[in-house]
């Protein structure tokens, strides 16, 4: 293992430790700890990808940290759309970063069913929102579905697992916001979210991407 690999591993280990502290902070409602750690963990995950093969993946991770910041601000009703747009832009960049040609495959069927199920389940809740939120959610569902589909086409296990974790995370988040809120939702969202970002980042660090 090279010195560079050791450095990447060390940074991601720190990110995992801080993410674990964040999960504990959720359980005990330590608001100040959550404010300090939420975007910081994503930035740490992103750091090793700065010199990776895909500038798009790195910028996508930075935009995710921006989205984290928007969504943790007190006025969440106002900040939801900027947060949504930040993550939408991040997912579009991930789609461009995944190194494969977009083509039609039988795998489009399950991902298409996922998108249809999301729209059907969220319809009643999202219909009560303004036009900006309705359009944003619809485009977001299509984009994250496309991201997961393209990840599957790469046949890269890290990208596939990361994208599926994102689908789970965003499904829980959408259910919590638009349909019904449960005490475990924030924990579930953040656990799968950090796992997703870590998988995508590791797939785009310089040495890992060459394997």
């Amino acid at each position: 293992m090279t010195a560079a690999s050791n450095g990447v591993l060390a940074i991601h280990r720190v990110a995992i430790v801080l993410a674990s502290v964040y999960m504990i902070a959720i359980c005990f409602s330590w608001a100040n700890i959550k404010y300090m750690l939420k975007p910081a963990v994503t930035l740490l995950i992103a750091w090793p990808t700065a010199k990776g093969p895909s500038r798009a993946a790195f910028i996508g991770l930075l935009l995710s940290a921006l989205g984290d910041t928007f969504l943790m601000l007190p006025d969440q009703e106002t900040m939801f759309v900027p947060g949504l747009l930040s993550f939408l832009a991040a997912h579009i960049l991930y789609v461009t970063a995944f190194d494969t040609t977009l083509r039609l495959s039988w795998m489009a069927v399950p991902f298409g069913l996922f998108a249809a199920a999301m729209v059907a389940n969220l319809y009643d809740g999202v219909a009560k929102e303004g036009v900006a939120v309705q359009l944003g959610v619809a485009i977001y569902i299509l984009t994250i579905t496309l991201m997961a589909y393209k990840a599957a086409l790469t046949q890269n296990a890290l990208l596939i697992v990361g994208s599926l974790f994102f689908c789970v995370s965003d499904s829980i988040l959408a259910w919590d916001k638009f349909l019904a809120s449960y005490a475990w939702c924030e924990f579930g969202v953040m656990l799968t979210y950090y796992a997703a970002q870590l998988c995508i980042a590791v797939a785009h660090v310089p040495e890992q991407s060459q394997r």
Side-chain angles (χ1 to χ4, degrees), residues 78-200:
T78 302
M79 292 294 102
F80 178 75
V81 171
L84 180 70
L85 292 175
S86 297
F87 282 111
L88 175 62
H91 290 315
I92 291 171
L93 286 168
Y94 289 159
V95 171
T96 65
F98 295 173
D99 189 17
T100 190
T101 302
L102 194 60
R103 60 190 184 278
L104 191 60
S105 163
W106 65 268
M107 289 184 288
V109 175
F111 288 108
L113 291 174
F114 164 76
M118 285 288 289
V119 171
N121 282 301
L122 294 176
Y123 180 82
D124 289 341
V126 176
K128 301 173 185 177
E129 304 291 333
V131 175
V133 174
Q134 293 175 19
L135 287 175
V137 170
I139 295 170
Y140 191 90
I141 290 172
L142 291 174
T143 303
I144 195 169
T145 303
L146 179 62
M147 182 192 71
Y149 173 61
K150 193 175 182 189
L153 292 176
T154 67
Q155 299 184 357
N156 181 308
L158 283 169
L159 294 180
I160 294 169
V161 172
S163 295
L164 292 178
F165 269 132
F166 249 127
C167 289
V168 174
S169 179
D170 286 336
S171 296
I172 298 171
L173 178 63
W175 189 278
D176 180 58
K177 179 167 180 62
F178 298 114
L179 298 177
S181 182
Y182 297 98
W184 55 267
C185 282
E186 184 182 6
F187 190 94
V189 166
M190 295 309 299
L191 181 64
T192 50
Y193 168 72
Y194 282 138
Q197 296 285 35
L198 187 60
C199 286
I200 291 172

Side-chain angles (χ1 to χ4, degrees), residues 18-106:
L18 293 181
S20 300
V21 174
Y22 185 90
M23 304 311 295
I24 295 170
I26 291 175
C27 296
F28 290 95
S29 300
W30 296 338
N32 291 336
I33 300 296
K34 288 164 59 180
Y35 277 121
M36 287 189 293
L37 291 183
K38 190 174 184 180
V41 172
T42 307
L43 288 172
L44 273 175
I45 292 172
W47 185 3
T49 68
K51 295 182 180 180
S54 174
R55 181 63 56 177
F58 175 62
I59 297 173
L61 284 158
L62 295 183
L63 284 171
S64 295
L66 180 62
D68 288 336
T69 303
F70 282 132
L71 294 183
M72 73 179 186
L73 293 175
D75 189 2
Q76 292 193 9
E77 290 302 315
T78 302
M79 292 294 102
F80 178 75
V81 171
L84 180 70
L85 292 175
S86 297
F87 282 111
L88 175 62
H91 290 315
I92 291 171
L93 286 168
Y94 289 159
V95 171
T96 65
F98 295 173
D99 189 17
T100 190
T101 302
L102 194 60
R103 60 190 184 278
L104 191 60
S105 163
W106 65 268

